[in-house]
Amino acid sequence: MNTLFFRYALEVERTRSITQAAENFFMAQPNLSRAIKEVEDTLGFTIFERTSKGVVPTKEGILFLDSAREIVRQLDRMKQIADGADGTVQRFSVSMPRGSYISAGVTAFIAGLDQSREIDMNIMETNSIQAVGCVAEGSCNLGIIRYQTFNEPYFADYLKEKHMKSELIWEYECLALMSRTNPLARKETLTLEDLRDSVELSHGDMAVPYIDASRMRNEMTGITKKKIYIYERGNQFEILCGVPNTFIWVSPVPEELLKRHDLAQRRCAFPDNKFRDLLIYPEHYQFTDLDMRFVEKLYEAKTQVCYREYR
């Protein structure tokens, strides 16, 4: 069996679509369907079946995909060993949320690299579900996920299903980030009623599957009817600076970034305002020296913002 098929199958599992998986691999959909059928005929069981939720693995398919995932991970690991056998390549990968303190940790980590040596890194900002998928399929060795604490059971089960371990990075209250020229920035603590006439920015891909997304948004946005969904973290700073009546819910932001963009962050009481950021990685994964250095810088960045007042 061609080992490339394992990657095809894992992509179908991730996207829940043969058509989308084929597009992601720049191949024709009939060719991928034919490849899956040939392997199923060889194995003697069906790997995927079509449902109302898309293409999903069968009971036997789940076992096959677990083995395929481990094979791909080992193949990638062997490639890393071969590529870095002489110690010249600094290789690292992480999938993470759009959090400013996390970005500060990444920046500090990169600044500490040996610039005279080869660097091969993959740093992806995305939502928590995709972060789990990236780690599960092996495109990233480490991941960071973020969720409201009432979603803890969902993510605990999801990580277990994907054979992953996790470590708590931080539990915190979400803050409202806005321009210092916003009249609301004069208040030390906000209420949801204060935000009635504001325009909320929100990352548009943060919904959790099988959980009512409106619950999270209603609790966090109160009664505001003005929302703009964005997908790039850089856009939020440009809009916050240029449109003073806007705000966005964030994890605590480093002071340097607040000063750079002339922003303020304010506490705001609302139900279930507790969030957790977790470091995730595959079971039996062995941390590299670079992994450990990244984690150290990440915790340093967190420490710099968690023991000061938000003003």
Side-chain angles (χ1 to χ4, degrees):
M1 185 183 301
N2 190 329
T3 56
L4 185 57
F5 176 78
F6 297 137
R7 299 186 188 275
Y8 292 160
L10 292 172
E11 187 66 9
V12 172
E13 179 194 29
R14 187 184 72 84
T15 61
R16 299 193 177 190
S17 167
I18 295 177
T19 300
Q20 185 60 56
E23 290 181 3
N24 293 347
F25 276 103
F26 303 100
M27 64 188 299
Q29 182 269 330
N31 292 340
L32 180 54
S33 296
R34 189 180 309 112
I36 293 175
K37 182 64 168 60
E38 290 175 356
V39 172
E40 289 178 334
D41 290 343
T42 300
L43 293 173
F45 59 80
T46 302
I47 300 174
F48 296 105
E49 61 182 356
R50 296 183 182 277
T51 72
S52 60
K53 296 179 180 179
V55 179
V56 299
T58 62
K59 181 179 179 180
E60 294 83 1
I62 292 174
L63 297 176
F64 171 83
L65 291 166
D66 285 344
S67 297
R69 190 172 294 107
E70 185 59 30
I71 290 171
V72 168
R73 188 174 294 127
Q74 292 298 328
L75 289 172
D76 290 342
R77 179 59 178 163
M78 286 188 283
K79 183 178 184 301
Q80 291 175 5
I81 292 173
D83 291 346
D86 57 1
T88 60
V89 181
Q90 299 172 98
R91 198 180 306 280
F92 175 80
S93 59
V94 64
S95 185
M96 63 189 200
R98 304 172 184 93
S100 294
Y101 86 90
I102 298 174
S103 180
V106 169
T107 301
F109 166 67
I110 295 174
L113 296 175
D114 185 345
Q115 303 298 318
S116 66
R117 293 167 51 197
E118 184 177 345
I119 298 173
D120 182 4
M121 299 199 169
N122 181 21
I123 298 171
M124 179 186 301
E125 287 190 337
T126 186
N127 62 58
S128 295
I129 299 301
Q130 290 185 352
V132 174
C134 288
V135 177
E137 69 187 19
S139 59
C140 288
N141 291 332
L142 303 180
I144 300 172
I145 63 173
R146 169 172 296 176
Y147 55 80
Q148 283 179 276
T149 53
F150 66 70
N151 284 333
E152 174 92 32
Y154 173 87
F155 280 98
D157 290 343
Y158 193 47
L159 292 175
K160 183 178 180 180
E161 174 188 329
K162 297 298 183 180
H163 306 289
M164 292 191 195
K165 290 186 176 181
S166 65
E167 297 178 13
L168 178 65
I169 301 171
W170 196 5
E171 180 173 307
Y172 56 88
E173 292 184 0
C174 210
L175 305 174
L177 182 68
M178 62 192 67
S179 169
R180 286 193 180 275
T181 62
N182 189 323
L184 294 179
R186 300 173 192 152
K187 302 184 66 172
E188 288 300 316
T189 302
L190 303 176
T191 66
L192 292 178
E193 184 65 22
D194 291 329
L195 298 169
R196 174 189 291 271
D197 295 323
S198 297
V199 178
E200 180 196 359
L201 306 182
S202 179
H203 295 292
D205 60 351
M206 300 306 291
V208 179
Y210 315 123
I211 294 178
D212 185 2
S214 65
R215 179 187 177 194
M216 179 173 65
R217 286 174 178 160
N218 285 341
E219 288 178 343
M220 295 181 65
T221 60
I223 55 177
T224 180
K225 302 295 184 181
K226 307 170 186 176
K227 302 177 184 178
I228 299 175
Y229 295 104
I230 56 178
Y231 296 85
E232 296 294 337
R233 193 170 66 93
N235 289 336
Q236 72 188 42
F237 298 115
E238 295 298 326
I239 297 174
L240 290 172
C241 293
V243 187
N245 195 38
T246 58
F247 78 98
I248 188 170
W249 297 111
V250 294
S251 56
V253 177
E255 184 68 26
E256 178 183 353
L257 194 60
L258 295 175
K259 291 179 179 179
R260 184 187 310 164
H261 296 283
D262 197 26
L263 300 174
Q265 53 188 351
R266 295 291 179 263
R267 288 188 173 93
C268 182
F270 60 83
D272 291 319
N273 185 7
K274 288 290 184 181
F275 285 74
R276 286 181 183 151
D277 287 354
L278 301 185
L279 178 71
I280 62 171
Y281 50 91
E283 290 180 352
H284 312 302
Y285 178 72
Q286 294 185 346
F287 279 64
T288 67
D289 177 64
L290 283 180
D291 292 338
M292 297 300 295
R293 285 158 59 183
F294 166 74
V295 173
E296 178 183 358
K297 294 300 181 183
L298 178 64
Y299 277 90
E300 285 180 1
K302 180 204 77 170
T303 301
Q304 289 177 6
V305 297
C306 69
Y307 292 119
R308 65 174 182 79
E309 290 189 16
Y310 308 123
R311 58 189 178 186

